[in-house]
Amino acid sequence: MELGVSGLNAKAAIGPEVTVRLARRAEEIGYRSWWAGEHVVLPSPRTPDSPMAPTDPILDPLVHLAFVAAATRSLGLGTAIVILPQRNPVVLAKQVASLDVLSGGRLSLGVGAGYLAPEMTAVGVPMRERGARTDEYIDAMRSLWLDPAPAYSGRFAAFAGVDAHPRPTRPVPIVIGGHSPAAFRRAVERGDGWFGNGDEPADLERHLAGLARAAAGHERRVAGPLHITWMQLRPPSKEQVIRYRELGVDRLVVYPLPIEDAGDVERFLERSAEVFAAAC
């Protein structure tokens, strides 16, 4: 099981000097991956389902990860998550391939269907279409990355007679985020991995049961196992880390809330690394 961190493209961690310091420190003390989230806009005034205030700063995850890639040498980079139906899949495929090449093959693309209606409305995507768009966009991007003659024909994406280079250095892992039956089905069918979050191992156990139900009713369309990434929303204890390993988690991600002070974030990273090392 590996250790990662998420959320540091927001709030007190967005400055260039702070980003370099935290990313290099994380790499130095054993973190294997660095994940960045996305909200293009946020509801204003804040709604109960919004994870952030409308005035909370958050950087575009791909721009942020390109900066982190230049400041580090081996730290894995991931989006957790890109709200895929808000993106143009052809443009995003180019951005992802470019970042993967420049980072030396360190990128994983975490995607989700989104859930904030004001955000979807602002970018012109009907909420009722977000799931279908997500499925199509995954398939369309994989064609651009992997097929000798890329082509795709769907309701929301269609192209033929085009090509895009450079290709990624290797098949970019697509990690599916979410806890709904649709997200579990999408992970089973199309995901190289699944990204979930919660407060304790019992939350993960419930979601693993959901993935198992999806696996019983849907066939995988990609090769290889489904890798499990879990983000605990509270600082994990040694006992919890041990339990996550027993449950088969491939990557445990910590979230240094409330991200109001860079020094507090750095101390959080150091404490979490110590707990992880003691458990593993």
Side-chain angles (χ1 to χ4, degrees):
M1 188 169 67
E2 298 179 357
L3 180 63
V5 60
S6 185
L8 297 182
N9 62 318
K11 301 175 77 171
I14 66 171
E17 296 86 0
V18 170
T19 297
V20 170
R21 186 177 91 238
L22 292 176
R24 288 178 175 169
R25 183 58 177 153
E27 187 173 54
E28 176 185 326
I29 60 178
Y31 285 80
R32 299 287 298 278
S33 57
W34 177 285
W35 299 76
E38 172 173 63
H39 285 289
V40 175
V41 294
L42 289 157
S44 181
R46 186 175 185 173
T47 55
D49 57 348
S50 178
M52 303 174 69
T55 54
D56 285 338
I58 180 169
L59 301 175
D60 177 273
L62 295 173
V63 174
H64 169 80
L65 291 173
F67 188 82
V68 173
T72 56
R73 294 188 178 277
S74 61
L75 192 64
L77 311 167
T79 57
I81 48 76
V82 158
I83 304 171
L84 189 53
Q86 297 181 168
R87 300 276 186 153
N88 179 301
V90 177
V91 176
L92 181 59
K94 170 61 77 173
Q95 293 170 323
V96 168
S98 300
L99 180 48
D100 187 68
V101 168
L102 286 174
S103 68
R106 289 190 272 156
L107 183 64
S108 295
L109 181 65
V111 301
Y115 63 94
L116 291 176
E119 186 173 18
M120 290 288 180
T121 300
V123 297
V125 176
M127 285 288 285
R128 65 182 181 276
E129 295 177 355
R130 69 191 192 279
R133 286 178 182 267
T134 299
D135 289 339
E136 284 197 14
Y137 291 1
I138 290 170
D139 296 344
M141 290 190 298
R142 280 201 169 117
S143 179
L144 285 163
W145 293 334
L146 301 175
D147 292 346
Y152 186 79
S153 179
R155 181 182 172 197
F156 303 107
F159 52 83
V162 297
D163 210 338
H165 290 266
R167 299 292 179 90
T169 62
R170 86 286 191 236
V172 174
I174 292 181
V175 181
I176 308 297
H179 307 132
S180 68
F184 294 147
R185 184 268 306 161
R186 187 171 295 118
V188 166
E189 287 183 342
R190 291 175 165 85
D192 299 293
W194 171 78
F195 193 111
N197 67 73
D199 291 323
E200 58 186 359
D203 294 335
L204 173 60
E205 292 183 62
R206 288 193 293 273
H207 297 318
L208 291 177
L211 286 168
R213 288 191 294 271
H218 302 276
E219 293 185 5
R220 279 183 67 69
R221 304 183 183 185
V222 293
L226 182 69
H227 296 284
I228 302 299
T229 299
W230 179 254
M231 181 172 72
Q232 180 158 306
L233 300 175
R234 299 185 296 182
S237 67
K238 177 181 176 181
E239 292 72 24
Q240 288 174 325
V241 173
I242 292 171
R243 181 57 180 152
Y244 287 132
R245 186 176 59 187
E246 292 171 347
L247 289 170
V249 171
D250 298 287
R251 182 186 295 111
L252 178 62
V253 175
V254 296
Y255 193 15
L257 291 173
I259 319 179
E260 301 290 354
D261 179 85
D264 288 343
V265 170
E266 187 167 2
R267 286 184 285 274
F268 180 103
L269 292 174
E270 292 169 347
R271 289 194 301 270
S272 296
E274 290 171 359
V275 170
F276 185 86
C280 295

